[in-house]
Structure formats: C-alpha cells, structure tokens
Amino acid sequence: MTIAVDKLSDPAVRRLLSAVNAGDRNAFFASLTDDATMSDDGSDRDLAQWVDREIFSSHGHIDVQTEKSGGRALVANYRNDAWGEMRTAWRFTVAPDGRVSRFETGQA
C-alpha cells in the first residue's frame, strides 16, 4: 500500500518528495540547504548532477511504501525513464531551518 506524499510525517521530506513527483526542480532545490549533500548506494555524488540525471531529465517519481524515524527513513518504489522501477531506501537529515541537508538513497 502506498503512502500519499502529502500524508508523510516530516514536512521537509514531504516538500522534497512533492517537488520530485511534480517535476519541479526549483521547489526541489528550495527544500534543500545551500550546502546539501547526498549519496547513492553508499557513494557520495554531486547532488546537482545526480538530481538532473536521475530525477528531472528522466521523469523520476517516488511512491512511498513505508516510513520510519518520524518520516525521515522511507522505503519506496522509485521509477524513472532511465532505470524503470526499483525498490529503494531513503534516509533524510533535516537542518534546524526545516530544509533537508542530506539524503541517502539506494536499493532496498
């Protein structure tokens, strides 16, 4: 069963994933701190390059299956035009200002 993005517990994660599913690059980056970082399958990546390749130029979409840690740890089905659909895990760090400062993703 999928959890609607607007029902996720953490507001920062909710904003970020709403931007992903809307294909809204500006809203996505507005939901991140200026110095945000990320990793994919345990390796740090250049955030802007990764996001453009894996989300925005390939029409990424996330369907959340479970959430833990107050909504900051998710298991989701993620799909894009490059890789198709895969089961993924996501973990988010939220800064005191309410924006995401780091996210980690990879196969679940």
Side-chain angles (χ1 to χ4, degrees):
M1 182 186 298
T2 301
I3 301 170
V5 170
D6 65 348
K7 302 295 184 200
L8 293 173
S9 299
D10 189 277
V13 173
R14 199 167 47 236
R15 279 190 301 276
L16 187 81
L17 297 188
S18 292
V20 168
N21 287 349
D24 189 336
R25 189 179 190 282
N26 291 335
F28 180 88
F29 279 101
S31 68
L32 297 172
T33 61
D34 295 339
D35 61 349
T37 61
M38 62 86 53
S39 71
D40 183 9
D41 283 328
S43 297
D44 280 359
R45 309 285 186 189
D46 179 282
L47 189 142
Q49 289 178 0
W50 188 91
V51 165
D52 284 338
R53 183 181 63 250
E54 301 292 337
I55 298 175
F56 297 109
S57 69
S58 61
H59 307 105
H61 188 88
I62 191 164
D63 291 316
V64 177
Q65 303 301 307
T66 64
E67 69 170 349
K68 294 181 180 175
S69 300
R72 294 184 182 179
L74 310 175
V75 172
N77 292 336
Y78 183 77
R79 68 182 178 277
N80 67 23
D81 293 346
W83 304 106
E85 186 169 303
M86 64 194 92
R87 191 165 178 81
T88 55
W90 298 76
R91 185 165 298 279
F92 301 89
T93 303
V94 178
D97 70 358
R99 295 184 296 162
V100 173
S101 61
R102 180 169 176 82
F103 67 92
E104 300 169 357
T105 188
Q107 301 242 2

